[in-house]
Amino acid sequence: MHPKESPQPLADTEMHSAEWHLLDADTVLQRLAASRRGLDSAEARRRLQHYGANLLPSARRRSWLRMLLGQFADFMILVLLVAALISGFIGEPQDTVTILLIVLLNALIGTLQEFRAERALSALQAMAAPMARVLRDGQPVLLAASELVPGDLVLLESGNQVPADLRLLEAEDLQADESALTGESLPVDKQSARQRADDGDPATRHNLLFNHSLITRGRACAVVVATGLQTRMGRIAQMLQTEQGVSTPLQQRLLRFGRYLVLAVLVICALVFVVGVWQGQAPMLMLLTAVSLAVAAIPEALPAVVTISLALGARKLVRHHALVRNLPAVETLGSVTYICADKTGTLTQNRMRVEALFAAGERIAVLPPRPGPPWLQLGQAMALSNDVALQDGRMTGEATELALFDAAARSGFHKTALEQAFPRLLALAFDGRRKCMTTLHQSDPGVVAYTKGAPETVLSQCVRQLGVAAVEPFEEQTVLAEVQRLTEAGYRVLAFAMREFASLPAGQSSDSLEQQLTFLGLVGLMDPPRQEAAQALSDCHSAGITTVMITGDHPGTAMTIARGLGIARQPAELLSGGQLAALSDAELARKVGSIRVYARVTPEQKLRIVKALQANGEFVAMTGDGVNDAPALQRAGIGVAMGCKGTDVAREAADMVLLDDNFASIVHSVRAGRRIFDNIRKFIKYTMTSNAGEIWTLFLAPFMGLPVPLLPIHILWINLVTDGLPGLALTLEPAEPAIMQRPPRPPTENIFAHGLWQHIVWAGLYIGGISLAAMAWAIAHGQAYWQTMVFTVLTVAQLFHALAVRSERQSLLRLGLLSNQPLLGTVLLTLLLQLAVIYTPVLNRVFHTQPLPPFALLLCLLLSATVLLAVEAEKWLLRRGLLYPGARARDP
């Protein structure tokens, strides 16, 4: 057909919506204005100009500088920048430098996270097949896949990667691996015949080949029906471009925390300034005091503490085979309420295994060690009737045949040894029309033929069956009923039969060899669950996390695996892709809470499931390994990709990569995430209580008729030595007992929940009270060192408080002082520094302090130590349920 005489090819929108699988081959060619000779070069160039290159377009890249500057729009970052300016204004350049370094570090981390999303799309582009064999001008030529256009005829054979979305015109014994796109664990048989009906599931369109799938067997001729963004992979790329990740719970909590804190600090500092001036203090002194208090009250070490906690957590997770690509993801797993787990390769081993055998009316799991009829003949057939071969030191072959080979070998049927006794004489390869394979072997006294294949094909040719004692009449209905039971249980079922000949038959066609067969048995295969998956799922359940399975596999297979792992029990807990497609978003949101298994789902549907759960207030983790998982991995609260068998696209879209593809590694990550959040919360509890103590001291002194208790340099010193090293050491605190027996934190939960804000108020007031008490005692006794005493009590009280808040419920005696040696070391170091400020003449002049006599120092230490006793009393009441009744129990 000459292009000038042919109709115009379809517009892009028509291509996207065309139901190519429902059209016969000639109609497809007509609608594409193509012929079986392929396009001529001139027409191909015209179409390439019209449709564009067969590539996934790059996202509009942002420069590094633009990404970096965008990080400074965060509210907490702006607060810290203001604090840096204030510190420089009052003559503390070291604080300014410290704050700016912290801000820059966080900005760099945010920039790397944004760059990660762009790399996901780049990896997707790199997966396009580089070359394709195409008919042009009636001749086969090798072209770059990017030059393909709709209407091109592509020639494919085993090992080729499909370069675009194709409609089959001719297919010979064709199979394609579509697992990366559909989640289907087995290669799919393909044929060119027109499909009569459409169930809405792309995985069942057996006359279409999709971009990036792999031809595992056979050869074909197919016409290009979609290129670039019009392909299924292209639509996945569009979703990756348009879907945005969600903020982590920690980021949301810190944002709210920063806003409330700044408002509170501004109000309190204004009051301190006004009250001080009203009392008669110098306005400049009170301005500097108020500004110093503002700098001290804002925990500028918080971003550093969070970053260091996450980095240390990420380093520890590598020991558990989990590589963190996005630091906030470490903490995020502690908030997860739902894990959407891909079945193939995540919960299962991603390799077929024989799980059931049926013969002579009996079903067993493995072949017996000393088998008699019919198990002996079935074992020999499994070992001999396959094309598994040794290559480069390992056995290679099609997944199903490898499973049969392994099952036979485990029971003593070794192919190499059997082939010496039964050498192969002839083989009829499997094809899609017959749906079976036959091999003929020399035997004593003649020739034996073993046939294996689809039950409906093999059983229809059986006339007898091999029983335990002898050959029996074939009970077809009994065998068909067993086939039905195995299929409904999720097994892939193969039937085996045999026939004996006196010599090699002259007629060597399937019609003559594959009839008058003796039935041997059925073999049920399945991709089995990972051994450690069941315990990991049980641990998730104990931690209050709901796990659901999402797969492109058959519903029966999915439900069998789900039952075995304890994910689901009832058929009502399963939803197929076709059923899901019939639900509106509102209906899905109502139903999603009761569904535990999703089968035959598309990439778009995986995304819908994640969004429906998020609409119900759940925080979702999504695991996956294929291209089809990438959009959902990016949208989920945390995306977890498989490192061994996962695609680059999935890894680039994910926040965390499991290096061993082991679902159990997620449990270690959840534990680490909860511990990290607990320790960040302890730091906030510690530092905000310390800041509250300073605020109460400055705020209440004028109302008690006392002078301004502290100078600006005292406030900044306390802020430096107490908020720094002791606060960082709290991030090394071991996990609380029973950390995995409590429910996840609600994503909307305030960071001050469970008694935290009450503790900050009363403990801060208590520290301020004992500091003012020491000040009042010294003034009443006419001591000139009263300011040094209040300065010392405020500093040391915070050190005792750091020891007390190591656990929210357990006493320090039960924890032991040495269980967090870095914290104990920093407390002792800070105490020595404070003593140096008190007793070193040079520092006396810098900090305006005076040496304290032994009694005054002892009084300061005793007053400070009562903070530890007061907090221990709070924990005693909390353990007995007498305090903060709404607080969640964090350990026994």
Side-chain angles (χ1 to χ4, degrees), residues 481-509:
E482 183 64 21
V483 171
Q484 181 70 17
R485 285 190 288 269
L486 287 168
T487 303
E488 290 176 349
Y491 293 98
R492 183 188 185 190
V493 184
L494 294 177
F496 281 79
M498 63 178 287
R499 184 178 177 183
E500 293 179 324
F501 300 91
S503 62
L504 188 65
Q508 297 178 356
S509 67

Side-chain angles (χ1 to χ4, degrees), residues 100-176:
L100 291 177
L101 286 174
I102 291 169
V103 169
L104 182 60
L105 176 62
N106 279 271
L108 288 173
I109 291 172
T111 303
L112 289 173
Q113 291 170 12
E114 286 195 25
F115 183 66
R116 176 179 60 86
E118 292 195 354
R119 289 185 61 188
L121 190 61
S122 299
L124 190 60
Q125 290 176 288
M127 294 178 70
M131 302 297 289
R133 195 159 169 255
V134 184
L135 282 178
R136 287 276 176 91
D137 301 309
Q139 299 296 321
V141 294
L142 199 62
L143 296 177
S146 60
E147 296 180 28
L148 290 183
V149 295
D152 264 327
L153 263 62
V154 180
L155 304 176
L156 295 164
E157 59 185 21
S158 179
N160 289 162
Q161 186 171 309
V162 179
D165 283 2
L166 312 175
R167 168 63 162 87
L168 287 167
L169 302 178
E170 300 172 10
E172 180 183 339
D173 189 22
L174 190 66
Q175 277 191 344

